[in-house]
Amino acid sequence: QISALSAGAEMYITKPFNGEYLRISVMQMMERKEILKDYFNSAISSLEKSAGKVTHKDHKKFMADMLKIINNNISDKELTPRSLAKQLGMGTRSLYRKLEEIGEKSPTTIIRDSRLHVAKNMLITSKKTIDEVVFHSGFANKVTFFKAFKEKYGCTPREFRVRHTEEKL
């Protein structure tokens, strides 16, 4: 019985068996299959819960596609919500609406945060100069980069690098 159930059998009935037991077992199995069928045909099956937040699977895929485009074009200074929307095959207004529906930040903020994340990682893991980090993370100029970096991390890029270099030691 154990090996049959372990192999995937839903039920194991030994002889002699009670007819009523068999009837009720089969009815329960059919009811369970109907409940599962209804669940997978319902909208709730397309939702996922992660980190205490319920997310629609289509929204998760959309965000993954969007972030992939951003990461592939991170050093491109011309990466804007308009170009991002075009690569996603939608209009700029539709992109803003979609992100608002999902409950995410604006595309501009997502792009900036992605650029800052890349810059932060470069400051920690590479020996590139601050100017090279600004260029490779796709910021148009140093002033914008320094302002955004200080706003997000509370210090200048140089201070950030020094602090994390000291932590490694």
Side-chain angles (χ1 to χ4, degrees):
Q1 287 178 344
I2 291 171
S3 64
L5 291 172
S6 296
E10 291 186 29
M11 182 172 39
Y12 190 97
I13 299 177
T14 58
K15 292 182 187 177
F17 59 86
N18 180 318
E20 186 64 14
Y21 175 77
L22 176 62
R23 188 182 72 72
I24 290 173
S25 296
V26 170
M27 292 298 285
Q28 289 283 6
M29 225 177 359
M30 290 172 60
E31 190 175 313
R32 254 191 323 272
K33 290 208 186 267
E34 195 63 34
I35 289 169
L36 283 172
K37 186 173 98 179
D38 290 344
Y39 170 77
F40 285 111
N41 287 332
S42 74
I44 197 154
S45 69
S46 64
L47 299 175
E48 247 177 40
K49 184 178 180 189
S50 61
K53 185 178 176 185
V54 177
T55 310
H56 195 278
K57 288 179 184 172
D58 291 342
H59 293 168
K60 191 172 183 177
K61 183 187 179 319
F62 174 79
M63 287 301 295
D65 292 344
M66 186 179 73
L67 291 173
K68 183 177 180 187
I69 290 169
I70 290 171
N71 287 333
N72 290 341
N73 297 288
I74 200 74
S75 62
D76 181 6
K77 290 173 181 39
E78 304 301 316
L79 179 63
T80 62
R82 174 176 281 145
S83 65
L84 180 60
K86 186 176 180 182
Q87 289 184 54
L88 287 166
M90 61 187 353
T92 307
R93 291 185 71 102
S94 297
L95 175 62
Y96 276 91
R97 283 190 197 113
K98 181 78 169 180
L99 289 172
E100 187 177 316
E101 174 189 330
I102 295 172
E104 284 294 329
K105 306 171 204 162
S106 73
T108 306
T109 304
I110 293 171
I111 292 169
R112 187 190 70 230
D113 287 351
S114 296
R115 291 184 193 280
L116 287 170
H117 182 75
V118 167
K120 176 189 80 157
N121 287 342
M122 276 193 256
L123 287 169
I124 294 171
T125 60
S126 74
K127 300 228 184 275
K128 290 182 170 136
T129 66
I130 304 292
D131 289 342
E132 289 174 319
V133 170
V134 171
F135 174 76
H136 287 293
S137 59
F139 279 91
N141 60 55
K142 283 173 59 171
V143 174
T144 307
F145 171 71
F146 274 80
K147 183 179 176 191
F149 194 92
K150 186 160 186 154
E151 186 179 300
K152 179 138 179 114
Y153 298 108
C155 60
T156 66
R158 186 164 279 110
E159 292 168 348
F160 184 85
R161 177 177 267 170
V162 168
R163 191 179 309 153
H164 283 81
T165 305
E166 289 171 358
E167 285 179 10
K168 283 183 184 179
L169 300 175

